[in-house]
Each structure stands twice: as structure tokens, then as C-alpha cells.
């Protein structure tokens, strides 16, 4: 019989939207496993069990590789562990959400009967808070890693400098095309590209604040149900781990810069809310998906 399989659960992102916390929850309390570090991931660091980066650049670079990529990818997920030490497999590369080609490549690579059972989890965070977290993340990286990842704006100065640089480059086609910089926080087109290739009811969209602050225990139950787990409510945790909360350099931002970024994000946020409303109104979303709480304005301080 088959010796390898596909992960059933995909935590798509976004980056700095508690994807590691959801991952820890999935792996700890919900019983999922991550990729084995074999094949293309042989010798890689442990965090690749969570993030294979297969669909956002590592394995698949273009559509002509699709037939072979299924083979390379499923090698990471041996059948023998399922039902033994794993309830199933989960993949959580947070760049997947913003990678426009990822859903079509994944859809073409996986057998239909398998991809129809995929469950995608999307957590969205107020985009300025997300960007500040990303800036702090970049500052913690080694210079070497940083130079591979930088979105053309330096993080050597305060966040405000980085943000102004990003705002200036916002209209540059290269930023848009490569989902760089501020585009990472523009969620509406990102959701569109996933919902074009997969049934919207396979995608659970949650807002970060409800998940981590306001409705944690109900959201964990919702998540478990969505993922098809026969979890007994009494055995589910009521709090979510707080992963990736390492000493942030900067935690407050200047109001002028907040307003500058908000002017860019506000119309896109409005489009996101309208899309989610429509998804619920016409019954395109999974019927257990909770209402999306509009983002609270990013707090700021006036100089
Ligand atoms: N439980 C809980 N409560 C409050 N805040 C939380 C929680 N879990 C994750 N976080 C915050 O999410 C940010 C990390 O996101 P990610 O884990 O997705 O980062 S990564 O993309 O995997 O690097 C990071 O945000 P910042 O602290 O603003 O940088 C975490 O603090």
C-alpha cells in the first residue's frame, strides 16, 4: 500500500500572526506531527518540521515541476506514523498565504480525493501590528539571514524609518509582484487566490485578537471541530501557547507613521471585511466559522 501521505492540516499564515502558537497547539494538544527531515529537508534545522517552504519557493519553483513535487513532498510524511504517534500531519509555512502561486501548484500536485480533504487555517492580524512584529523579527535575525529576507528596506534604524521606506516603495511593481513589504499585510487578494483553487469552506479564517485574547477557548474548540478531531471538550486546552514572544526591540510607534500606514491599509481592510461578510452571507464559508472581528486600530504615541 501507500507508504507516504499528504498533510491534512495547513496553517497558511500570516507571518507574525501567531502561526507558531497555533502550530504548538496543533502538535501538542491536537496530536499533529510535522515533516520528517528527510529528502529535500535532510539535515535542515528542526523548525522545518513546521515550515517546509516547499510551496513558497524551496521545492516548487514552477508549474513544470508539479508532477515530481508531489513525490518529493510526500516523502516527508510517512504513513507509518499516522494513528501511532500522530493523529495526522500539519504543515505551517506562514509564507504560504501570500504566495500567489502556492494554491494552484498544490491543487495540481495533490490527488483530487486528497486535496478535497485539506483543511486550511488562516489567522489575520491588524496589518500594522503585524508589520511591527515583522520588523522586530528581522532585527533579531543574523545579518546573513537578514540580507536574504529584507524587503529592500533597512531595519538598522527605528521602526518609523523602516515603515516610511516601505510606504515609499509600496507602489513599486516589484513589491507587489513579490508580495513584499506592506503587501504582506494586504490580505484580501491573498485569500482570493486560495479560495480560487480550494473550496472556501476548506479555509477557516480567524482574527488574531479573538484567537489569542478574547475568545481563545471557543476558538480552540472551533479549530478542533474544523480539523475533524473528535476532541472531547474537556480535554482541549483553554489557552493558546505564546510562542515567538522574544524580546521585541520596539513596541510602540509614532502616530504620524501609524496614520501613514493606516491610509494605505484602510481600504484593503474594508475589502477584506466585505469579502468575509459575503462569504458568510451566501454560505460559502464553513458554517462554524466565527464572525471576523474588525481590526482594532494600532495604538500609537505622539511625539
Ligand atoms: N498567545 C499569544 N498571545 C499574544 N500574542 C501572541 C500569542 N501567540 C503569539 N503571539 C504573537 O504572535 C507573534 C508571533 O507570530 P508567529 O509565531 O506567527 O511568528 S512567525 O511568523 O512564526 O515567525 C508575536 O508577536 P509580537 O510579540 O508582536 O512580535 C507573538 O507575541
Amino acid at each position: 500500500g501507500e507508504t507516504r501521505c499528504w498533510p491534512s492540516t495547513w496553517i497558511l499564515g500570516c507571518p507574525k500572526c501567531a502561526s507558531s502558537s497555533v502550530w504548538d497547539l496543533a502538535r501538542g494538544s491536537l496530536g499533529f506531527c510535522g515533516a520528517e527531515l528527510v529528502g529535500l529537508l535532510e539535515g535542515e534545522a528542526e523548525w522545518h518540521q513546521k515550515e517546509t517552504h516547499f510551496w513558497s519557493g524551496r521545492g516548487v519553483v514552477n508549474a513544470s515541476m508539479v508532477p515530481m513535487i508531489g513525490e518529493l513532498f510526500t516523502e516527508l510524511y510517512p504513513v507509518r506514523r499516522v494513528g501511532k504517534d500522530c493523529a495526522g500531519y500539519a504543515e505551517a509555512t506562514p509564507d504560504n498565504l501570500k504566495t500567489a502561486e502556492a494554491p494552484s501548484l498544490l491543487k495540481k500536485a495533490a490527488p483530487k480525493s486528497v486535496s478535497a480533504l485539506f483543511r486550511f487555517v488562516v489567522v489575520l492580524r491588524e496589518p500594522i501590528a503585524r508589520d511591527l512584529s515583522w520588523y522586530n523579527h528581522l532585527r533579531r535575525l543574523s545579518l546573513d539571514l537578514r540580507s536574504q529576507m529584507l524587503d529592500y528596506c533597512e531595519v538598522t534604524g527605528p521602526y518609523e524609518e523602516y515603515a516610511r521606506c516601505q510606504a515609499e516603495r509600496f507602489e513599486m511593481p516589484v513589491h507587489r509582484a513579490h508580495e513584499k513589504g506592506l503587501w504582506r499585510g494586504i490580505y484580501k487578494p491573498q485569500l482570493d487566490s486560495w479560495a480560487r483553487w480550494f473550496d472556501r469552506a476548506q479555509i477557516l479564517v480567524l482574527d488574531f485578537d479573538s484567537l489569542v485574547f478574547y475568545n481563545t477557548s471557543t476558538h480552540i474548540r472551533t479549530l478542533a471541530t474544523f480539523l475533524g478531531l473528535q476532541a472531547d471538550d474537556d480535554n482541549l486546552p483553554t489557552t493558546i501557547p505564546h510562542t515567538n514572544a522574544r524580546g521585541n526591540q520596539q513596541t510602540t510607534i509614532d502616530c504620524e507613521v501609524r496614520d501613514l500606514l493606516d491610509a494605505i491599509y484602510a481600504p484593503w481592510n474594508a475589502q477584506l471585511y466585505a469579502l468575509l461578510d459575503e462569504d458568510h452571507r451566501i454560505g460559502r464559508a464553513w458554517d462554524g466559522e466565527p464572525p471576523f472581528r474588525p481590526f482594532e486600530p494600532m495604538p500609537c504615541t505622539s511625539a
Side-chain angles (χ1 to χ4, degrees), residues 259-300:
D259 294 346
L260 173 73
L261 296 184
D262 204 46
I264 292 173
Y265 280 132
W268 289 103
N269 289 340
Q271 284 197 43
L272 172 71
Y273 308 148
L275 172 71
L276 294 172
D277 278 350
E278 176 79 353
D279 287 346
H280 287 201
R281 198 180 57 77
I282 67 173
R284 196 157 51 192
W286 173 56
D287 59 11
E289 184 173 285
F292 191 88
R293 194 173 201 280
F295 301 130
E296 278 174 23
M298 173 73 185
C300 64

mmCIF file of all heavy atoms in Angstrom, residues 259-300:
data_model
loop_
_atom_site.group_PDB
_atom_site.id
_atom_site.type_symbol
_atom_site.label_atom_id
_atom_site.label_comp_id
_atom_site.label_asym_id
_atom_site.label_seq_id
_atom_site.Cartn_x
_atom_site.Cartn_y
_atom_site.Cartn_z
ATOM 1 N N ASP A 259 -0.615 56.678 11.056
ATOM 2 C CA ASP A 259 -1.637 57.219 10.153
ATOM 3 C C ASP A 259 -1.253 57.034 8.682
ATOM 4 O O ASP A 259 -2.110 56.761 7.834
ATOM 5 C CB ASP A 259 -1.887 58.702 10.456
ATOM 6 C CG ASP A 259 -2.509 58.890 11.846
ATOM 7 O OD1 ASP A 259 -2.980 57.883 12.423
ATOM 8 O OD2 ASP A 259 -2.496 60.025 12.356
ATOM 9 N N LEU A 260 0.035 57.179 8.414
ATOM 10 C CA LEU A 260 0.520 56.974 7.047
ATOM 11 C C LEU A 260 0.211 55.542 6.577
ATOM 12 O O LEU A 260 -0.304 55.323 5.473
ATOM 13 C CB LEU A 260 2.038 57.223 7.020
ATOM 14 C CG LEU A 260 2.791 56.919 5.734
ATOM 15 C CD1 LEU A 260 2.477 57.969 4.664
ATOM 16 C CD2 LEU A 260 4.310 56.885 5.970
ATOM 17 N N LEU A 261 0.515 54.582 7.425
ATOM 18 C CA LEU A 261 0.273 53.184 7.064
ATOM 19 C C LEU A 261 -1.215 52.873 7.050
ATOM 20 O O LEU A 261 -1.699 52.119 6.201
ATOM 21 C CB LEU A 261 0.987 52.244 8.033
ATOM 22 C CG LEU A 261 2.507 52.311 8.050
ATOM 23 C CD1 LEU A 261 3.065 51.247 8.989
ATOM 24 C CD2 LEU A 261 3.096 52.141 6.652
ATOM 25 N N ASP A 262 -1.921 53.489 7.972
ATOM 26 C CA ASP A 262 -3.352 53.212 8.039
ATOM 27 C C ASP A 262 -4.053 53.691 6.773
ATOM 28 O O ASP A 262 -5.015 53.055 6.325
ATOM 29 C CB ASP A 262 -3.953 53.850 9.287
ATOM 30 C CG ASP A 262 -5.216 53.136 9.703
ATOM 31 O OD1 ASP A 262 -5.191 51.883 9.737
ATOM 32 O OD2 ASP A 262 -6.233 53.804 9.955
ATOM 33 N N ALA A 263 -3.563 54.791 6.208
ATOM 34 C CA ALA A 263 -4.182 55.297 4.969
ATOM 35 C C ALA A 263 -4.016 54.272 3.843
ATOM 36 O O ALA A 263 -4.882 54.123 2.977
ATOM 37 C CB ALA A 263 -3.554 56.631 4.584
ATOM 38 N N ILE A 264 -2.897 53.550 3.872
ATOM 39 C CA ILE A 264 -2.676 52.512 2.861
ATOM 40 C C ILE A 264 -3.543 51.292 3.143
ATOM 41 O O ILE A 264 -4.171 50.724 2.241
ATOM 42 C CB ILE A 264 -1.176 52.113 2.827
ATOM 43 C CG1 ILE A 264 -0.351 53.287 2.289
ATOM 44 C CG2 ILE A 264 -0.959 50.847 2.003
ATOM 45 C CD1 ILE A 264 1.150 53.083 2.362
ATOM 46 N N TYR A 265 -3.603 50.903 4.394
ATOM 47 C CA TYR A 265 -4.276 49.647 4.732
ATOM 48 C C TYR A 265 -5.797 49.741 4.814
ATOM 49 O O TYR A 265 -6.490 48.754 4.543
ATOM 50 C CB TYR A 265 -3.732 49.086 6.046
ATOM 51 C CG TYR A 265 -2.411 48.361 5.888
ATOM 52 C CD1 TYR A 265 -1.334 48.612 6.737
ATOM 53 C CD2 TYR A 265 -2.256 47.388 4.897
ATOM 54 C CE1 TYR A 265 -0.126 47.933 6.606
ATOM 55 C CE2 TYR A 265 -1.059 46.704 4.754
ATOM 56 C CZ TYR A 265 0.006 46.976 5.614
ATOM 57 O OH TYR A 265 1.187 46.289 5.477
ATOM 58 N N ALA A 266 -6.311 50.916 5.217
ATOM 59 C CA ALA A 266 -7.758 51.004 5.497
ATOM 60 C C ALA A 266 -8.643 50.492 4.347
ATOM 61 O O ALA A 266 -9.553 49.694 4.588
ATOM 62 C CB ALA A 266 -8.133 52.419 5.908
ATOM 63 N N PRO A 267 -8.403 50.942 3.092
ATOM 64 C CA PRO A 267 -9.284 50.459 2.024
ATOM 65 C C PRO A 267 -9.186 48.945 1.806
ATOM 66 O O PRO A 267 -10.187 48.294 1.494
ATOM 67 C CB PRO A 267 -8.806 51.211 0.775
ATOM 68 C CG PRO A 267 -7.651 52.052 1.159
ATOM 69 C CD PRO A 267 -7.411 51.928 2.621
ATOM 70 N N TRP A 268 -8.008 48.396 2.001
ATOM 71 C CA TRP A 268 -7.843 46.941 1.829
ATOM 72 C C TRP A 268 -8.495 46.182 2.973
ATOM 73 O O TRP A 268 -9.072 45.106 2.767
ATOM 74 C CB TRP A 268 -6.363 46.575 1.739
ATOM 75 C CG TRP A 268 -5.731 47.011 0.454
ATOM 76 C CD1 TRP A 268 -4.920 48.092 0.267
ATOM 77 C CD2 TRP A 268 -5.874 46.386 -0.826
ATOM 78 N NE1 TRP A 268 -4.534 48.165 -1.048
ATOM 79 C CE2 TRP A 268 -5.099 47.135 -1.738
ATOM 80 C CE3 TRP A 268 -6.568 45.267 -1.279
ATOM 81 C CZ2 TRP A 268 -5.008 46.794 -3.087
ATOM 82 C CZ3 TRP A 268 -6.480 44.923 -2.625
ATOM 83 C CH2 TRP A 268 -5.694 45.687 -3.514
ATOM 84 N N ASN A 269 -8.392 46.730 4.180
ATOM 85 C CA ASN A 269 -9.086 46.085 5.303
ATOM 86 C C ASN A 269 -10.587 46.075 5.044
ATOM 87 O O ASN A 269 -11.263 45.076 5.296
ATOM 88 C CB ASN A 269 -8.791 46.814 6.619
ATOM 89 C CG ASN A 269 -7.350 46.610 7.090
ATOM 90 O OD1 ASN A 269 -6.682 45.670 6.664
ATOM 91 N ND2 ASN A 269 -6.886 47.495 7.956
ATOM 92 N N ALA A 270 -11.092 47.202 4.523
ATOM 93 C CA ALA A 270 -12.530 47.290 4.238
ATOM 94 C C ALA A 270 -12.928 46.217 3.218
ATOM 95 O O ALA A 270 -13.972 45.573 3.352
ATOM 96 C CB ALA A 270 -12.881 48.687 3.747
ATOM 97 N N GLN A 271 -12.082 46.029 2.213
ATOM 98 C CA GLN A 271 -12.369 44.986 1.215
ATOM 99 C C GLN A 271 -12.351 43.595 1.830
ATOM 100 O O GLN A 271 -13.132 42.720 1.451
ATOM 101 C CB GLN A 271 -11.338 45.030 0.088
ATOM 102 C CG GLN A 271 -11.547 46.152 -0.894
ATOM 103 C CD GLN A 271 -10.760 45.878 -2.175
ATOM 104 O OE1 GLN A 271 -10.732 44.754 -2.684
ATOM 105 N NE2 GLN A 271 -10.115 46.906 -2.709
ATOM 106 N N LEU A 272 -11.440 43.404 2.767
ATOM 107 C CA LEU A 272 -11.364 42.109 3.458
ATOM 108 C C LEU A 272 -12.653 41.841 4.234
ATOM 109 O O LEU A 272 -13.241 40.757 4.130
ATOM 110 C CB LEU A 272 -10.159 42.106 4.407
ATOM 111 C CG LEU A 272 -10.061 40.898 5.346
ATOM 112 C CD1 LEU A 272 -9.686 39.635 4.575
ATOM 113 C CD2 LEU A 272 -9.062 41.163 6.470
ATOM 114 N N TYR A 273 -13.107 42.829 5.002
ATOM 115 C CA TYR A 273 -14.330 42.638 5.789
ATOM 116 C C TYR A 273 -15.522 42.370 4.865
ATOM 117 O O TYR A 273 -16.368 41.528 5.171
ATOM 118 C CB TYR A 273 -14.653 43.854 6.665
ATOM 119 C CG TYR A 273 -13.519 44.331 7.550
ATOM 120 C CD1 TYR A 273 -13.375 45.688 7.871
ATOM 121 C CD2 TYR A 273 -12.583 43.437 8.075
ATOM 122 C CE1 TYR A 273 -12.340 46.131 8.677
ATOM 123 C CE2 TYR A 273 -11.536 43.884 8.887
ATOM 124 C CZ TYR A 273 -11.416 45.233 9.176
ATOM 125 O OH TYR A 273 -10.386 45.681 9.961
ATOM 126 N N ALA A 274 -15.567 43.088 3.757
ATOM 127 C CA ALA A 274 -16.689 42.908 2.819
ATOM 128 C C ALA A 274 -16.670 41.488 2.248
ATOM 129 O O ALA A 274 -17.710 40.836 2.133
ATOM 130 C CB ALA A 274 -16.615 43.949 1.699
ATOM 131 N N LEU A 275 -15.486 41.019 1.911
ATOM 132 C CA LEU A 275 -15.359 39.655 1.379
ATOM 133 C C LEU A 275 -15.836 38.625 2.409
ATOM 134 O O LEU A 275 -16.595 37.711 2.092
ATOM 135 C CB LEU A 275 -13.902 39.381 0.987
ATOM 136 C CG LEU A 275 -13.589 37.933 0.588
ATOM 137 C CD1 LEU A 275 -14.210 37.591 -0.756
ATOM 138 C CD2 LEU A 275 -12.081 37.677 0.553
ATOM 139 N N LEU A 276 -15.370 38.789 3.654
ATOM 140 C CA LEU A 276 -15.725 37.817 4.692
ATOM 141 C C LEU A 276 -17.226 37.861 4.984
ATOM 142 O O LEU A 276 -17.863 36.821 5.171
ATOM 143 C CB LEU A 276 -14.905 38.074 5.963
ATOM 144 C CG LEU A 276 -13.395 37.823 5.809
ATOM 145 C CD1 LEU A 276 -12.639 38.286 7.037
ATOM 146 C CD2 LEU A 276 -13.099 36.353 5.530
ATOM 147 N N ASP A 277 -17.790 39.057 4.992
ATOM 148 C CA ASP A 277 -19.244 39.192 5.178
ATOM 149 C C ASP A 277 -19.996 38.437 4.095
ATOM 150 O O ASP A 277 -20.937 37.695 4.360
ATOM 151 C CB ASP A 277 -19.666 40.674 5.108
ATOM 152 C CG ASP A 277 -19.430 41.372 6.439
ATOM 153 O OD1 ASP A 277 -19.136 40.677 7.435
ATOM 154 O OD2 ASP A 277 -19.527 42.618 6.475
ATOM 155 N N GLU A 278 -19.560 38.649 2.874
ATOM 156 C CA GLU A 278 -20.187 37.994 1.726
ATOM 157 C C GLU A 278 -20.047 36.464 1.822
ATOM 158 O O GLU A 278 -20.998 35.734 1.590
ATOM 159 C CB GLU A 278 -19.537 38.541 0.444
ATOM 160 C CG GLU A 278 -19.991 37.902 -0.857
ATOM 161 C CD GLU A 278 -21.340 38.431 -1.347
ATOM 162 O OE1 GLU A 278 -21.985 39.203 -0.608
ATOM 163 O OE2 GLU A 278 -21.742 38.057 -2.469
ATOM 164 N N ASP A 279 -18.847 36.016 2.197
ATOM 165 C CA ASP A 279 -18.617 34.571 2.348
ATOM 166 C C ASP A 279 -19.605 33.972 3.341
ATOM 167 O O ASP A 279 -20.095 32.857 3.144
ATOM 168 C CB ASP A 279 -17.191 34.292 2.856
ATOM 169 C CG ASP A 279 -16.136 34.534 1.786
ATOM 170 O OD1 ASP A 279 -16.495 34.661 0.600
ATOM 171 O OD2 ASP A 279 -14.931 34.596 2.153
ATOM 172 N N HIS A 280 -19.876 34.700 4.411
ATOM 173 C CA HIS A 280 -20.805 34.193 5.429
ATOM 174 C C HIS A 280 -22.248 34.317 4.949
ATOM 175 O O HIS A 280 -23.052 33.415 5.127
ATOM 176 C CB HIS A 280 -20.608 34.942 6.756
ATOM 177 C CG HIS A 280 -19.344 34.536 7.462
ATOM 178 N ND1 HIS A 280 -19.130 34.721 8.800
ATOM 179 C CD2 HIS A 280 -18.221 33.935 7.002
ATOM 180 C CE1 HIS A 280 -17.932 34.251 9.138
ATOM 181 N NE2 HIS A 280 -17.354 33.786 8.057
ATOM 182 N N ARG A 281 -22.547 35.453 4.317
ATOM 183 C CA ARG A 281 -23.926 35.730 3.896
ATOM 184 C C ARG A 281 -24.424 34.698 2.885
ATOM 185 O O ARG A 281 -25.548 34.205 3.005
ATOM 186 C CB ARG A 281 -24.006 37.140 3.284
ATOM 187 C CG ARG A 281 -25.407 37.728 3.199
ATOM 188 C CD ARG A 281 -25.381 39.128 2.585
ATOM 189 N NE ARG A 281 -24.760 39.161 1.264
ATOM 190 C CZ ARG A 281 -25.336 38.756 0.139
ATOM 191 N NH1 ARG A 281 -26.565 38.288 0.156
ATOM 192 N NH2 ARG A 281 -24.693 38.806 -1.017
ATOM 193 N N ILE A 282 -23.573 34.350 1.933
ATOM 194 C CA ILE A 282 -24.053 33.408 0.914
ATOM 195 C C ILE A 282 -23.700 31.953 1.253
ATOM 196 O O ILE A 282 -23.932 31.053 0.463
ATOM 197 C CB ILE A 282 -23.544 33.768 -0.506
ATOM 198 C CG1 ILE A 282 -22.028 33.596 -0.611
ATOM 199 C CG2 ILE A 282 -23.937 35.199 -0.888
ATOM 200 C CD1 ILE A 282 -21.510 33.781 -2.029
ATOM 201 N N GLY A 283 -23.123 31.749 2.436
ATOM 202 C CA GLY A 283 -22.878 30.373 2.885
ATOM 203 C C GLY A 283 -21.710 29.698 2.199
ATOM 204 O O GLY A 283 -21.646 28.468 2.119
ATOM 205 N N ARG A 284 -20.771 30.502 1.717
ATOM 206 C CA ARG A 284 -19.586 29.942 1.058
ATOM 207 C C ARG A 284 -18.566 29.480 2.098
ATOM 208 O O ARG A 284 -17.800 28.563 1.865
ATOM 209 C CB ARG A 284 -18.990 31.056 0.190
ATOM 210 C CG ARG A 284 -18.014 30.659 -0.848
ATOM 211 C CD ARG A 284 -17.949 31.718 -1.936
ATOM 212 N NE ARG A 284 -17.737 33.071 -1.388
ATOM 213 C CZ ARG A 284 -17.873 34.187 -2.097
ATOM 214 N NH1 ARG A 284 -18.207 34.135 -3.371
ATOM 215 N NH2 ARG A 284 -17.677 35.373 -1.543
ATOM 216 N N ALA A 285 -18.531 30.152 3.248
ATOM 217 C CA ALA A 285 -17.603 29.770 4.325
ATOM 218 C C ALA A 285 -18.156 28.556 5.066
ATOM 219 O O ALA A 285 -19.347 28.264 5.000
ATOM 220 C CB ALA A 285 -17.427 30.938 5.289
ATOM 221 N N TRP A 286 -17.299 27.858 5.768
ATOM 222 C CA TRP A 286 -17.730 26.763 6.659
ATOM 223 C C TRP A 286 -18.683 27.354 7.691
ATOM 224 O O TRP A 286 -18.436 28.438 8.211
ATOM 225 C CB TRP A 286 -16.487 26.173 7.322
ATOM 226 C CG TRP A 286 -16.794 25.146 8.383
ATOM 227 C CD1 TRP A 286 -17.528 24.017 8.230
ATOM 228 C CD2 TRP A 286 -16.362 25.171 9.750
ATOM 229 N NE1 TRP A 286 -17.581 23.326 9.417
ATOM 230 C CE2 TRP A 286 -16.870 24.016 10.371
ATOM 231 C CE3 TRP A 286 -15.588 26.048 10.512
ATOM 232 C CZ2 TRP A 286 -16.645 23.709 11.712
ATOM 233 C CZ3 TRP A 286 -15.356 25.754 11.846
ATOM 234 C CH2 TRP A 286 -15.875 24.592 12.433
ATOM 235 N N ASP A 287 -19.777 26.648 7.988
ATOM 236 C CA ASP A 287 -20.794 27.294 8.838
ATOM 237 C C ASP A 287 -20.355 27.466 10.297
ATOM 238 O O ASP A 287 -20.986 28.208 11.034
ATOM 239 C CB ASP A 287 -22.173 26.627 8.707
ATOM 240 C CG ASP A 287 -22.143 25.163 9.093
ATOM 241 O OD1 ASP A 287 -21.114 24.723 9.664
ATOM 242 O OD2 ASP A 287 -23.133 24.466 8.835
ATOM 243 N N GLY A 288 -19.269 26.830 10.680
ATOM 244 C CA GLY A 288 -18.753 27.041 12.042
ATOM 245 C C GLY A 288 -17.776 28.206 12.153
ATOM 246 O O GLY A 288 -17.274 28.494 13.243
ATOM 247 N N GLU A 289 -17.492 28.862 11.038
ATOM 248 C CA GLU A 289 -16.502 29.950 11.091
ATOM 249 C C GLU A 289 -17.072 31.138 11.873
ATOM 250 O O GLU A 289 -18.131 31.657 11.533
ATOM 251 C CB GLU A 289 -16.111 30.385 9.676
ATOM 252 C CG GLU A 289 -15.016 31.452 9.670
ATOM 253 C CD GLU A 289 -14.524 31.757 8.261
ATOM 254 O OE1 GLU A 289 -13.786 30.940 7.696
ATOM 255 O OE2 GLU A 289 -14.889 32.829 7.732
ATOM 256 N N PRO A 290 -16.377 31.562 12.930
ATOM 257 C CA PRO A 290 -16.912 32.673 13.733
ATOM 258 C C PRO A 290 -16.849 33.992 12.967
ATOM 259 O O PRO A 290 -16.063 34.127 12.027
ATOM 260 C CB PRO A 290 -15.985 32.726 14.953
ATOM 261 C CG PRO A 290 -14.774 31.929 14.601
ATOM 262 C CD PRO A 290 -15.093 31.048 13.436
ATOM 263 N N PRO A 291 -17.696 34.954 13.355
ATOM 264 C CA PRO A 291 -17.620 36.263 12.715
ATOM 265 C C PRO A 291 -16.220 36.850 12.913
ATOM 266 O O PRO A 291 -15.599 36.626 13.950
ATOM 267 C CB PRO A 291 -18.663 37.110 13.448
ATOM 268 C CG PRO A 291 -19.293 36.244 14.475
ATOM 269 C CD PRO A 291 -18.668 34.898 14.449
ATOM 270 N N PHE A 292 -15.752 37.563 11.914
ATOM 271 C CA PHE A 292 -14.411 38.151 11.959
ATOM 272 C C PHE A 292 -14.501 39.503 12.661
ATOM 273 O O PHE A 292 -15.274 40.374 12.273
ATOM 274 C CB PHE A 292 -13.882 38.326 10.536
ATOM 275 C CG PHE A 292 -12.421 38.673 10.456
ATOM 276 C CD1 PHE A 292 -11.455 37.675 10.409
ATOM 277 C CD2 PHE A 292 -12.007 40.000 10.423
ATOM 278 C CE1 PHE A 292 -10.105 37.991 10.327
ATOM 279 C CE2 PHE A 292 -10.663 40.324 10.352
ATOM 280 C CZ PHE A 292 -9.706 39.313 10.299
ATOM 281 N N ARG A 293 -13.708 39.662 13.703
ATOM 282 C CA ARG A 293 -13.717 40.911 14.462
ATOM 283 C C ARG A 293 -12.841 41.935 13.737
ATOM 284 O O ARG A 293 -11.643 41.698 13.570
ATOM 285 C CB ARG A 293 -13.095 40.590 15.824
ATOM 286 C CG ARG A 293 -13.272 41.590 16.880
ATOM 287 C CD ARG A 293 -12.718 40.971 18.193
ATOM 288 N NE ARG A 293 -13.282 41.646 19.336
ATOM 289 C CZ ARG A 293 -12.850 42.810 19.776
ATOM 290 N NH1 ARG A 293 -11.856 43.424 19.175
ATOM 291 N NH2 ARG A 293 -13.423 43.368 20.822
ATOM 292 N N PRO A 294 -13.414 43.051 13.296
ATOM 293 C CA PRO A 294 -12.582 44.035 12.580
ATOM 294 C C PRO A 294 -11.373 44.438 13.432
ATOM 295 O O PRO A 294 -11.457 44.445 14.660
ATOM 296 C CB PRO A 294 -13.531 45.216 12.370
ATOM 297 C CG PRO A 294 -14.901 44.621 12.418
ATOM 298 C CD PRO A 294 -14.820 43.468 13.379
ATOM 299 N N PHE A 295 -10.275 44.732 12.769
ATOM 300 C CA PHE A 295 -9.030 45.048 13.484
ATOM 301 C C PHE A 295 -9.197 46.288 14.358
ATOM 302 O O PHE A 295 -9.806 47.270 13.939
ATOM 303 C CB PHE A 295 -7.899 45.314 12.485
ATOM 304 C CG PHE A 295 -7.616 44.158 11.567
ATOM 305 C CD1 PHE A 295 -7.545 44.353 10.189
ATOM 306 C CD2 PHE A 295 -7.405 42.877 12.069
ATOM 307 C CE1 PHE A 295 -7.271 43.294 9.321
ATOM 308 C CE2 PHE A 295 -7.128 41.817 11.210
ATOM 309 C CZ PHE A 295 -7.065 42.027 9.832
ATOM 310 N N GLU A 296 -8.628 46.214 15.552
ATOM 311 C CA GLU A 296 -8.568 47.426 16.379
ATOM 312 C C GLU A 296 -7.427 48.278 15.860
ATOM 313 O O GLU A 296 -6.391 47.759 15.469
ATOM 314 C CB GLU A 296 -8.297 47.039 17.834
ATOM 315 C CG GLU A 296 -9.550 46.629 18.558
ATOM 316 C CD GLU A 296 -9.284 46.112 19.964
ATOM 317 O OE1 GLU A 296 -8.231 46.442 20.554
ATOM 318 O OE2 GLU A 296 -10.136 45.351 20.446
ATOM 319 N N PRO A 297 -7.625 49.622 15.868
ATOM 320 C CA PRO A 297 -6.543 50.481 15.374
ATOM 321 C C PRO A 297 -5.256 50.233 16.163
ATOM 322 O O PRO A 297 -5.309 50.025 17.374
ATOM 323 C CB PRO A 297 -7.051 51.901 15.628
ATOM 324 C CG PRO A 297 -8.507 51.781 15.921
ATOM 325 C CD PRO A 297 -8.771 50.372 16.362
ATOM 326 N N MET A 298 -4.143 50.232 15.476
ATOM 327 C CA MET A 298 -2.845 50.082 16.132
ATOM 328 C C MET A 298 -2.648 51.280 17.066
ATOM 329 O O MET A 298 -2.760 52.428 16.645
ATOM 330 C CB MET A 298 -1.763 50.059 15.044
ATOM 331 C CG MET A 298 -0.357 50.072 15.560
ATOM 332 S SD MET A 298 0.082 48.460 16.278
ATOM 333 C CE MET A 298 1.718 48.863 16.916
ATOM 334 N N PRO A 299 -2.345 51.042 18.347
ATOM 335 C CA PRO A 299 -2.096 52.171 19.251
ATOM 336 C C PRO A 299 -0.832 52.919 18.821
ATOM 337 O O PRO A 299 0.052 52.341 18.176
ATOM 338 C CB PRO A 299 -1.874 51.516 20.617
ATOM 339 C CG PRO A 299 -2.241 50.078 20.453
ATOM 340 C CD PRO A 299 -2.167 49.754 18.995
ATOM 341 N N CYS A 300 -0.740 54.197 19.175
ATOM 342 C CA CYS A 300 0.448 54.957 18.802
ATOM 343 C C CYS A 300 0.725 56.024 19.849
ATOM 344 O O CYS A 300 -0.109 56.295 20.707
ATOM 345 C CB CYS A 300 0.251 55.588 17.426
ATOM 346 S SG CYS A 300 -1.089 56.803 17.373
#
